[in-house]
Amino acid sequence: MLIGRVKRNGRPILVSRLGPDWFNFTQAWMDMRQAVDGETAPEITDAVELIRSGLFTRATLSRVGEFVQRYGRMEQYRIEKPARWCPPGRPGKVLAMGRNYRAHVKEFDNRMPDSPVVFSKAASACIGSGEPIRIPQHAGRVDYEGEVAVVIGKTCSGVTPSAVREYIAGYTLINDVTARDMQRKAMGEGNPWFLAKSFDTFCPVGPVIVLADVFDWPPVIPIETRLNGELRQQSDTGHFIFSLDTIISYISRYITLEPGDLVATGTPEGVGPLQAGDVVEICAPEIGCLCNPVTSGE
Ligand code: ZN
């Protein structure tokens, strides 16, 4: 129960998976609407648009899956397992949590926060799995941060912790790439560190979004980060300082979260620097691996 986005013949399409088979969800959805419902459905090629339309649900994904299987059409829609992905969609905003794993707080010698630390990354920084993270010259130290991210399912404002679950559409992975030297300098001077988090390509997302109800509540999602094949981060979302319901409820007091918005939930211990030539891979069993090479460039 997942959705991803790839380019095919130069155009983006949504893809999903049935067992081992990846298929063209965009085309199957339109064909199903035509064949079964007799309606011409719009072409949807962005997961955020799918969520906004209320279609990223178990019911819709099952229905399309059944259509593809029942009529033996898999051959028609099948695609090769993608190696290079687009970000699943273009979110309205990307929010992130600082200091949400105890061991990571200790690693940077920060004090334990008494309320969630929330910051923003530019949505334009999003790239897909397989696309290069580009580190400009003179950027100083740039770190990877492997994180689980929440994908918001519907407009969310002033929700109580006990209601948060119903506002979550799914989960994905984010690499919260950070220009660390620039961030530290900004913090030391009492300035915001938005720029240090928001360089172009500094927000790999994906490879796919997995439907929320695939997980228990609260979800305990294991996450691992490997740098050039070597294990660097290993934890799970059961180690949060602030639970998911607290985080989303807290943010929603001040900011209206909208369908497709991403909330990265913080990184565990083991962050470290990236260099051109590295490959950084963030994996979770249900979500897959968000894998990005690192290049230097303006
Ligand atoms: Zn982070």
Side-chain angles (χ1 to χ4, degrees):
M1 290 288 160
L2 52 81
I3 205 87
R5 187 164 64 137
V6 301
K7 270 203 177 133
R8 211 178 185 215
N9 305 322
R11 300 184 62 224
I13 56 165
L14 292 180
V15 299
S16 189
R17 197 182 65 195
L18 274 173
D21 299 315
W22 290 90
F23 67 95
N24 183 337
F25 181 90
T26 293
Q27 191 63 50
W29 155 254
M30 283 194 299
D31 291 352
M32 183 202 74
R33 296 280 284 129
Q34 189 71 61
V36 179
D37 303 330
E39 286 177 23
T40 303
E43 184 181 50
I44 300 179
T45 59
D46 179 306
V48 172
E49 203 184 322
L50 193 73
I51 294 166
R52 282 194 190 117
S53 308
L55 295 170
F56 185 57
T57 62
R58 179 168 288 273
T60 302
L61 296 188
S62 300
R63 202 165 167 237
V64 175
E66 278 165 26
F67 173 77
V68 169
Q69 282 181 311
R70 193 183 321 148
Y71 296 101
R73 284 182 161 140
M74 183 51 90
E75 285 315 310
Q76 183 184 336
Y77 297 114
R78 191 198 311 273
I79 60 162
E80 288 290 309
K81 182 178 186 233
R84 190 175 171 126
W85 300 80
C86 303
R90 177 67 182 267
K93 52 189 173 292
V94 182
L95 301 180
M97 294 284 303
R99 300 181 229 156
N100 202 29
Y101 287 83
R102 251 165 242 288
H104 172 59
V105 172
K106 285 182 187 150
E107 138 182 282
F108 275 178
D109 201 23
N110 283 318
R111 64 180 179 82
M112 285 293 164
D114 46 25
S115 58
V117 177
V118 183
F119 60 89
S120 165
K121 287 173 83 75
S124 53
C126 291
I127 57 172
S129 184
E131 296 187 287
I133 298 165
R134 286 182 283 111
I135 300 181
Q137 287 174 355
H138 315 298
R141 175 173 161 169
V142 171
D143 286 359
Y144 59 83
E145 294 188 0
E147 310 194 8
V148 171
V150 170
V151 186
I152 298 296
K154 52 185 185 179
T155 303
C156 173
S157 174
V159 297
T160 59
S162 62
V164 161
R165 185 180 187 179
E166 62 188 275
Y167 292 88
I168 296 176
Y171 301 94
T172 187
L173 299 171
I174 275 187
N175 191 344
D176 176 19
V177 181
T178 304
R180 190 70 70 200
D181 287 342
M182 186 186 270
Q183 183 196 29
R184 284 190 174 136
K185 184 166 183 286
M187 287 168 107
E189 293 170 356
N191 290 326
W193 66 84
F194 177 72
L195 201 55
K197 292 280 186 179
S198 298
F199 290 19
D200 288 349
T201 76
F202 273 22
C203 191
V205 184
V208 298
I209 300 172
V210 176
L211 203 64
D213 74 6
V214 165
F215 300 91
D216 294 334
W217 181 262
V220 178
I221 303 176
I223 181 169
E224 287 185 354
T225 304
R226 286 189 161 72
L227 185 66
N228 304 321
E230 194 178 296
L231 186 64
R232 294 299 181 91
Q233 296 186 288
Q234 186 174 39
S235 191
D236 67 61
T237 58
H239 287 86
F240 284 168
I241 297 173
F242 296 104
S243 62
L244 211 47
D245 50 5
T246 302
I247 296 168
I248 303 299
S249 169
Y250 178 81
I251 294 172
S252 82
R253 279 197 237 162
Y254 309 101
I255 299 176
T256 298
L257 294 167
E258 293 163 320
D261 284 355
L262 297 172
V263 182
T265 55
T267 197
E269 69 277 18
V271 304
L274 291 170
Q275 293 176 20
D278 286 344
V279 176
V280 59
E281 194 173 31
I282 300 162
C283 300
E286 303 284 353
I287 306 172
C289 286
L290 174 62
C291 180
N292 298 89
V294 181
T295 64
S296 60
E298 293 308 315

